[in-house]
Each structure stands twice: as C-alpha cells, then as structure tokens.
Amino acid sequence: MLVRHITDIKVALAPFNKASKASRLFLNRLDTNDARKINPTMKISTSFLQDPKAASHIAVTYRDGKKLALDSDKLNIDTILEVVNKHARKLEEVEQANSW
C-alpha cells in the first residue's frame, strides 16, 4: 500500500457489525510499524458508532489535497485497497517523472 502519499485517514465503524469487517481489516493493514516508518506524519483517526447497524465509512486525504470517501460496508478489503491505492499510484508516477 502506498501510504507515503496519504496525509489523513478517518474511519467510522460499528465494531460489532459484521459488515464493518473490511473497515477493521483496513485499519489493521494501515496501523503497522512499517507504515509508520514510511509516513510518520500520517494521521489515523477512528470513531466508533453507537448504533450496531450503522454503516462504516472511510475518508482518505491525499498529499495533493484530494479527498476520497468510501462506504466500506458494501466493499471487501481488496476493493478498498485498490481504490485507495489508485490515486496514490498516480501521485507516485508524477513524483518519479519529476525526479528525472
């Protein structure tokens, strides 16, 4: 995952809702020592919803200011990672092109 290009992640989930599994897995993949080493300034905030049937949401802010909002209950973890990485790959390509 290209966490170097992400500045802020906000996740809202109902912890006991089965549909929020993808959100929990997303947090699990992001909150690692390797990710913190790659981008120590990335902010991850989690809010827990009181209603156990409430839908989970993920909001990602990229380095260039673009914001992405996902309704994660309707997606699996692979789809979430693919969508989040799509814009990060574009930023990576631009950075590599400018470094020549």
Side-chain angles (χ1 to χ4, degrees):
M1 188 161 175
L2 298 170
V3 296
R4 187 171 62 160
H5 301 287
I6 297 173
T7 58
D8 188 38
I9 296 176
K10 295 178 183 174
V11 179
L13 62 97
F16 300 110
N17 187 349
K18 277 187 168 185
S20 67
K21 180 179 180 179
S23 297
R24 293 190 306 269
L25 289 173
F26 182 71
L27 282 172
N28 189 19
R29 298 229 178 139
L30 280 177
D31 201 13
T32 64
N33 289 335
D34 291 337
R36 292 290 179 188
K37 286 178 187 175
I38 293 170
N39 188 355
T41 61
M42 180 176 61
K43 297 176 191 172
I44 300 173
S45 59
T46 307
S47 59
F48 297 103
L49 305 172
Q50 298 297 323
D51 183 12
K53 296 183 192 242
S56 299
H57 301 284
I58 298 174
V60 179
T61 306
Y62 295 94
R63 186 179 61 193
D64 66 346
K66 181 177 177 179
K67 295 184 180 187
L68 174 70
L70 299 170
D71 185 11
S72 57
D73 282 355
K74 298 176 183 174
L75 304 171
N76 63 23
I77 184 62
D78 294 329
T79 306
I80 292 171
L81 292 174
E82 181 180 326
V83 171
V84 170
N85 279 333
K86 185 176 182 179
H87 186 68
R89 270 190 239 109
K90 289 179 185 177
L91 293 174
E92 183 73 21
E93 289 172 5
V94 169
E95 184 177 297
Q96 288 178 357
N98 289 338
S99 67
W100 284 85

